Amino acid sequence: MSGVKCINRLISSVLCLSLALCLVSCKNESDDDYVSYDMYESSDLYSITNNREVALEHDFFAKNLAKATNDDIGVSQVDSQVAYAGAAYNLSTNQVLYAQNIHQQIYPASTTKIMTCYVACLYGDLDSMITVSENAVIQPDDSSVCDLKAGDVISLRDLLYGLMLRSGNDAAIAIAEGISGDVTSFAELMNKTAHELGATNTNFVNPNGLHDENHYTTSYDMYLILNKAILNKDFYNIFSCSNYTANYTSKDETKTQEWKTTTQYFTGKTSAPAGFSILGGKTGTTGAAGYCLVLLSENEKKEKIISIVYNADCRSNLYLLMNEILSEYCN
C-alpha cells in the first residue's frame, strides 16, 4: 500500500512540475504582446499607498478647476429669485464665489454658441471658405440671423464673428455643415469635446441653441467649457470683440456687413459694477430658456471672473442679478 502512495506522490509531483513549465512557457511566448498593469507604480502615483510625495507631483484632471458641491452659496444676499441658476468663479484662485443650482440641467439658448465657436476654432481652418446652404438660411421668423443667403461664400472666421456677435443661427448651421458636413455630426463633436472637459451633464443637439428638450447644460458645465475655450487665442479674440465688419461674396458680388455684440455691457445699455472690466460675453434667449448670460470679466485685482445667469425672468433682471453677483462676491 505504501508503494502505491509513493507512486501517486511521484505522479502528482510530475504533473505539478509540467503545469508550472507550461505556464512559464505560455507567458514567455507572449511576452512581446503582454501588457501588465503595474499595481505598485499606480498605487504610489495616486497615493493609494503612503508615497504621497509622488502623488502630489501628478497632474490630476481637476487640479486647476473650481470644485463645486451641490450647495448654494450666497443666494440670500442677492435677488436670486429672478433667475433659476447662476454662478461665479474666480479663475485666479479656482474658487466658487456664487452658486445657485449650478448642477441643475437648464436650456442654454444661444450661450450654446460658446461651444460651437470653440469647437470650430479647434477643428476648423478659420481662413477656409464655406458656401452657405439652403438648409442654413431656413430659420424661424423670430430667429436671430446674420441675413446670409444660400450660395454666399464666406470665411469660417467671418461666420464665427457673426455667430458670436450677431448671434446668427444661420451662421451656426453653416459652421456645422462646413466643419462636419451636417448638424448631427457636428453636435456629436460638440458633445465629445464637452465631455472631455468634464462637462458630463451637457448634451447638445444643435449648434445654435434653438429649443430642444434634449439640448441642455448646467452653469457649472458652461464654466468648464468657457474656462478652457478662452485659452484658445482665436476663440478669445472673437469672444472679446464688440463689433466686426465681414466681407464675403454672393453671386460674384462683394457684400459687407457689420455685426455688433448683443451684450449690453458693450452696447452701453448696462454699466458694470465699479472696478470691473468686461472682457467678453454671450447672451441667449428663448421662451423655455428665459434670459441667459455667460460673462468674462476682470476685477480690480486683475483676477478673471466667469459669471453666469441662466433663466432670468426678464432682460433687466438678468443684468440686475449679474451686477449683484459681481459686486457682492467677485471684488
Side-chain angles (χ1 to χ4, degrees):
M1 190 72 176
S2 60
V4 174
K5 290 182 178 179
C6 289
I7 292 172
N8 287 339
R9 288 173 184 167
L10 178 60
I11 293 172
S12 297
S13 298
V14 171
L15 288 173
C16 290
L17 179 60
S18 299
L19 179 60
L21 289 172
C22 181
L23 290 173
V24 171
S25 175
C26 289
K27 183 180 185 303
N28 287 341
E29 287 174 0
S30 59
D31 273 351
D32 290 341
D33 299 324
Y34 184 75
V35 179
S36 64
Y37 179 82
D38 193 330
M39 178 181 71
Y40 299 104
E41 180 181 344
S42 300
S43 297
D44 283 344
L45 182 63
Y46 292 103
S47 201
I48 297 172
T49 59
N50 60 1
N51 192 358
R52 188 167 185 272
E53 290 76 12
V54 177
L56 290 175
E57 294 175 0
H58 184 72
D59 286 333
F60 290 94
F61 173 78
K63 179 180 178 181
N64 296 315
L65 296 175
K67 288 78 173 177
T69 67
N70 289 320
D71 297 332
D72 286 349
I73 300 172
V75 294
S76 63
Q77 305 302 312
V78 296
D79 291 307
S80 58
Q81 73 279 0
V82 304
Y84 178 71
Y89 308 90
N90 187 312
L91 305 191
S92 300
T93 63
N94 296 324
Q95 288 178 294
V96 181
L97 306 175
Y98 178 81
Q100 178 185 351
N101 293 324
I102 62 173
H103 294 300
Q104 297 299 311
Q105 291 176 346
I106 48 83
Y107 301 125
S110 283
T111 65
T112 297
K113 291 164 183 167
I114 291 172
M115 177 53 95
T116 302
C117 184
Y118 178 52
V119 169
C121 289
L122 283 181
Y123 296 101
D125 175 2
L126 270 60
D127 294 320
S128 64
M129 303 305 292
I130 293 174
T131 301
V132 179
S133 70
E134 287 282 356
N135 181 53
V137 301
I138 300 174
Q139 297 293 328
D141 291 339
D142 59 349
S143 183
S144 176
V145 295
C146 291
D147 198 28
L148 300 172
K149 307 299 181 186
D152 287 350
V153 179
I154 183 170
S155 71
L156 176 57
R157 188 184 309 276
D158 282 359
L159 282 173
L160 290 175
Y161 279 99
L163 173 83
M164 297 298 283
L165 299 183
R166 185 66 187 90
S167 200
N169 293 327
D170 48 357
I173 302 300
I175 291 165
E177 293 177 341
I179 292 177
S180 298
D182 59 78
V183 167
T184 300
S185 298
F186 187 80
E188 291 173 357
L189 187 57
M190 293 171 71
N191 289 325
K192 175 180 178 290
T193 306
H195 296 165
E196 287 172 350
L197 298 178
T200 55
N201 287 319
T202 290
N203 187 67
F204 297 117
V205 300
N206 61 57
N208 49 32
L210 288 179
H211 180 67
D212 188 293
E213 289 186 357
N214 294 315
H215 187 100
Y216 52 79
T217 190
T218 69
S219 59
Y220 185 71
D221 279 10
M222 189 54 70
Y223 149 71
L224 295 176
I225 293 167
L226 183 58
N227 182 56
K228 185 67 173 180
I230 58 177
L231 300 179
N232 182 287
K233 183 179 179 181
D234 289 323
F235 175 90
Y236 187 83
N237 288 340
I238 296 166
F239 184 71
S240 60
C241 184
S242 59
N243 60 78
Y244 181 81
T245 301
N247 296 291
Y248 56 100
T249 60
S250 178
K251 297 179 180 179
D252 298 324
E253 176 186 359
T254 300
K255 298 180 70 173
T256 299
Q257 285 204 61
E258 184 176 356
W259 294 314
K260 297 182 179 180
T261 182
T262 57
T263 306
Q264 289 192 0
Y265 291 114
F266 286 131
T267 64
K269 292 183 178 180
T270 298
S271 298
F276 281 89
S277 299
I278 305 302
L279 304 179
K282 185 70 194 79
T283 60
T285 309
T286 67
Y291 293 83
C292 309
L293 176 60
V294 178
L295 196 69
L296 178 68
S297 62
E298 191 174 75
N299 63 19
E300 287 183 313
K301 301 174 187 175
K302 302 301 179 182
E303 297 169 331
K304 285 185 171 57
I305 307 293
I306 289 177
S307 51
I308 299 167
V309 174
Y310 271 131
N311 197 19
D313 55 16
C314 66
R315 185 171 283 106
S316 60
N317 281 341
L318 171 69
Y319 287 94
L320 166 69
L321 180 56
M322 183 65 79
N323 276 355
E324 288 181 343
I325 292 171
L326 290 176
S327 59
E328 186 73 24
Y329 298 109
C330 303
N331 277 311

